[in-house]
Amino acid sequence: MRFSDQFEQRFSEMLNHYPTKRSVLVPTLLYAQDEVGHLSDEVIAEIAGRLELTDLDVRNVISYYSMLRTKPAGKYNVQVCTNIACMLRGGYDILGHCKEKLGIGHKEVTPDGLFSLEEVECIGACCWAPAMQVNYDFHDNLTTVKVDEIIETYRKGQGKDVK
Ligand code: FES
């Protein structure tokens, strides 16, 4: 399969920075996921071949990391943190509100493919809890009103669309 030139450049550089081929697996999976949208069977086989691993080796790593996915996400992947700082400051209310507003649950995608939703562990924005991330865009100090505004911004196509 063919990735972009940018992917190939990053992949080649990483191979020089790590002691073994296997060490570049996680960043390679992340770059591939960003490019393809999810880690399909074809992507897994390609990366396994390049790194001299079995498909099962790669799938075992994918299953460990919640940010890696084998099924397509929505165009905008909403990840709501419910870890301790966010939980204490209303993270579950934010998650519940997102579920209600989008009409989907954890790891589900809206019928139009625009949004997907995930409950995630700490995203490193504890000081500004509760927080969520849409693709690679952080949103913090959330309230349900703020969540509504954020989701509408994406619905109108005015948010970042990089996965
Ligand atoms: S606990 Fe939610 S960002 Fe850290």
Side-chain angles (χ1 to χ4, degrees):
M1 79 173 285
R2 175 139 177 77
F3 291 107
S4 68
D5 292 345
Q6 186 185 29
F7 175 95
E8 296 300 349
Q9 191 181 347
R10 284 172 163 170
F11 181 69
S12 300
E13 278 175 21
M14 284 192 298
L15 288 177
N16 294 327
H17 294 166
Y18 291 87
T20 63
K21 277 188 170 184
R22 185 188 187 100
S23 302
V24 307
L25 177 57
V26 172
T28 301
L29 289 170
L30 278 169
Y31 287 136
Q33 179 172 276
D34 284 347
E35 192 158 309
V36 179
H38 68 290
L39 300 167
S40 64
D41 292 348
E42 190 184 11
V43 170
I44 290 169
E46 174 70 24
I47 292 174
R50 288 182 184 215
L51 300 181
E52 297 169 9
L53 299 169
T54 65
D55 286 17
L56 185 60
D57 291 331
V58 175
R59 286 181 192 282
N60 284 341
V61 169
I62 293 170
S63 69
Y64 182 79
Y65 291 101
S66 61
M67 75 281 196
L68 298 173
R69 57 178 174 269
T70 54
K71 292 185 181 149
K75 180 176 183 185
Y76 302 115
N77 190 32
V78 179
Q79 297 179 301
V80 180
C81 174
T82 55
N83 213 307
I84 188 72
C86 290
M87 181 190 75
L88 292 172
R89 290 180 49 88
Y92 279 107
D93 292 339
I94 296 298
L95 178 65
H97 185 72
C98 287
K99 284 180 176 173
E100 198 173 305
K101 183 162 182 73
L102 297 173
I104 53 176
H106 174 62
K107 297 264 185 197
E108 292 180 352
V109 183
T110 55
D112 61 4
L114 201 54
F115 292 99
S116 48
L117 179 63
E118 284 181 281
E119 178 181 3
V120 295
E121 299 298 328
C122 181
I123 54 175
C126 318
C127 292
W128 306 280
M132 70 180 193
Q133 186 174 292
V134 182
N135 299 348
Y136 285 132
D137 210 2
F138 277 87
H139 302 278
D140 48 43
N141 281 310
L142 294 173
T143 62
T144 53
V145 172
K146 200 168 169 185
V147 166
D148 287 348
E149 290 168 2
I150 292 163
I151 288 176
E152 287 316 308
T153 300
Y154 284 98
R155 203 186 294 283
K156 289 179 194 160
Q158 295 167 348
K160 282 186 195 168
D161 62 359
V162 177
K163 279 188 189 153

